[in-house]
Amino acid sequence: MSKMAQDFKAINLSQGFPDFEISSELQDLVTTYMRRGFNQYAPMPGVPDLLNSISRKITNTYGINVNPENEITVTAGATEALYASIAAMVRPGDEVLILEPAYDAYVPAIRLNGGIPVLVPMEVPDFTIDWQRVALQINKRTRLIIINTPHNPTGTILRHSDLSALSEITEKYGIYVLSDEVYEHIIFDDEAHQSVLKYPGLRERSIAVYSFGKTFHATGWKVGYSVASAPLTTEIKKVHQFLTFSVNTPVQYALAAFLDNEKNYQGLHKFFQEKRDYFLQQMEASRFEPVPSKGTYFQLFSYRNYGTTPDREMAEWLTREVGVAAIPISVFYQDKTDNHYLRFCFAKDNQTLQKGARLLCGI
Ligand SMILES: Cc1ncc(COP(=O)(O)O)c(C=O)c1O
């Protein structure tokens, strides 16, 4: 859709990346560390300064201790952390539960490792999870369940009751959890992010995955990390060693220094909540129906008031004829289930959001 937006000069509210600058302090820090000569290979799991900063951040945010020496792996974006985790956990014939709609990196990674994705739909129209339905899919081949909160593409979040249900299931059936938490700091309306790390029952059976790209508006840097118990981290590192070995050194040092100031990430929810509210307010005059966005920088809309055109066609038509690009939700389902929803990214400056909304209101 980004390519199509470019071709048709449409306002691009499709792909999930911010269109504003990253912190100048963070840019300066990278330059500083490059000039100081931190330009050679970093240690395989990450530079110690960054591992320590991540550990302190997790204590500040979730009140738990994570050992920087053997429970964290710095990776080339959350994407590598997800892949390394799946490759470490999944053997040929293992089943992996995925809740759909799902971010597109999970299924191919499972298949490449010989695993079998078992797809469980979230409940439409509010995209909640029926945990009984999930439990019914578990058998002795089930190895792992992948969750994602706040959730891309729907903007929904998991609550305490969800994590309690998940905890019960994992204990009962002895399965593991891969928790994609890249939007941990982008959560709205005074809700608290429910990390698997906060739940003692889940902590030992889970890998949590994070992305500096999302937290610091720098998706192009591709730096993320995984957090898991020492035995699981040992396995993740065995894969990471031969995928990338290590990650960009000066950027790691810069992130370590930047992360030590809580203000650099604690205000993120407020910043994006204002964007969400602004976009929704600009869209009020349209007949698009919003699904409440509780986190991420995505807003889902149903376009059923405009008809039942397949969502891919609708997205292409909007880009071509209206001048706004969005993502059809059917692409997040393996069987291309189409409930007539589109995803719009509101990590854009207000002028762009206003222009996009104005065009959409004119339909
Ligand atoms: C849910 C989710 N997980 C993982 C990623 C990938 O993160 P990274 O860019 O750090 O690889 C994204 C990026 O859009 C995402 O939305």
Side-chain angles (χ1 to χ4, degrees):
M1 291 310 304
S2 279
K3 164 87 171 57
M4 206 178 157
Q6 231 176 12
D7 291 348
F8 287 91
K9 300 198 170 28
I11 292 174
N12 188 3
L13 304 185
S14 62
Q15 206 180 351
F17 63 88
D19 73 348
F20 30 81
E21 267 312 312
I22 67 166
S23 148
S24 56
E25 183 192 339
L26 184 54
Q27 294 181 40
D28 291 346
L29 281 166
V30 177
T31 311
T32 303
Y33 284 105
M34 275 185 182
R35 293 228 165 99
R36 279 197 212 156
F38 290 89
N39 296 304
Q40 306 310 326
Y41 290 130
M44 190 264 279
V47 302
D49 284 14
L50 182 56
L51 298 173
N52 288 324
S53 294
I54 291 171
S55 169
R56 278 194 294 272
K57 170 188 171 294
I58 293 172
T59 305
N60 288 341
T61 313
Y62 302 121
I64 58 151
N65 293 323
V66 166
N67 188 336
E69 282 171 22
N70 57 16
E71 294 193 309
I72 302 171
T73 313
V74 176
T75 55
T79 307
E80 195 220 344
L82 291 167
Y83 188 87
S85 304
I86 289 168
M89 302 293 295
V90 176
R91 294 289 166 270
D94 284 351
E95 293 188 5
V96 180
L97 291 167
I98 291 183
L99 299 146
E100 284 195 318
Y103 182 61
D104 62 2
Y106 312 144
V107 167
I110 294 162
R111 293 220 170 102
L112 274 168
N113 286 282
I116 301 160
V118 176
L119 310 161
V120 184
M122 295 167 90
E123 306 296 316
V124 173
D126 47 4
F127 295 98
T128 49
I129 296 171
D130 177 346
W131 291 102
Q132 272 179 338
R133 198 170 176 178
V134 173
L136 284 174
Q137 297 297 325
I138 298 177
N139 60 51
K140 58 181 189 321
R141 289 189 303 275
T142 311
R143 174 77 165 155
L144 186 69
I145 177 167
I146 302 180
I147 60 166
N148 171 212
T149 183
H151 184 255
N152 177 10
T154 64
T156 55
I157 55 172
L158 296 184
R159 297 208 158 77
H160 174 71
S161 57
D162 294 298
L163 276 280
S164 300
L166 177 66
S167 191
E168 251 176 57
I169 287 177
T170 51
E171 261 170 64
K172 182 167 173 196
Y173 298 102
I175 63 173
Y176 291 85
V177 180
L178 176 55
S179 185
D180 182 341
E181 302 183 13
V182 298
Y183 299 101
E184 62 175 330
H185 295 297
I186 311 180
I187 186 153
F188 311 135
D189 307 324
D190 295 325
E191 297 275 2
H193 171 58
Q194 298 297 333
S195 172
V196 285
L197 302 177
K198 286 201 292 193
Y199 290 77
L202 288 170
R203 170 81 166 90
E204 292 310 306
R205 309 197 67 82
S206 300
I207 301 165
V209 166
Y210 302 93
S211 168
F212 289 116
K214 302 295 177 188
T215 301
F216 295 137
H217 310 313
T219 59
W221 284 14
K222 296 298 291 186
V223 184
Y225 56 98
S226 66
V227 179
S229 65
L232 290 181
T233 295
T234 301
E235 299 306 309
I236 294 167
K237 281 189 207 159
K238 287 180 191 169
V239 182
H240 168 67
Q241 177 168 4
F242 299 109
L243 273 179
T244 53
F245 184 73
S246 65
V247 172
N248 190 320
T249 307
V251 165
Q252 285 198 59
Y253 279 105
L255 287 168
F258 198 64
L259 204 54
D260 276 341
N261 182 354
E262 276 178 53
K263 285 202 196 106
N264 288 331
Y265 54 88
Q266 294 297 22
L268 205 60
H269 63 104
K270 188 168 171 290
F271 174 80
F272 277 118
Q273 183 168 327
E274 280 168 13
K275 292 232 166 269
R276 178 202 64 175
D277 293 347
Y278 181 76
F279 185 46
L280 281 174
Q281 183 217 334
Q282 295 295 311
M283 288 289 285
E284 260 171 24
S286 80
R287 285 156 67 214
F288 286 93
E289 286 178 353
V291 172
S293 171
K294 292 289 181 185
T296 73
Y297 39 54
F298 301 116
Q299 176 63 58
L300 221 65
F301 283 101
S302 162
Y303 60 87
R304 63 182 175 167
N305 292 332
Y306 296 98
T308 52
T309 307
D311 65 358
R312 282 185 75 130
E313 266 177 52
M314 184 68 176
E316 284 169 13
W317 178 79
L318 279 180
T319 310
R320 236 181 11 246
E321 306 295 333
V322 178
V324 182
I327 300 274
I329 294 305
S330 64
V331 305
F332 297 93
Y333 289 90
Q334 291 301 305
D335 69 358
K336 306 295 176 251
T337 295
D338 183 0
N339 291 307
H340 310 304
Y341 289 101
L342 296 171
R343 188 197 78 180
F344 295 81
C345 174
F346 55 79
K348 308 292 168 190
D349 78 42
N350 282 8
Q351 249 191 335
T352 309
L353 293 175
Q354 190 193 34
K355 268 196 218 158
R358 205 172 276 163
L359 292 169
L360 294 166
C361 289
I363 297 173

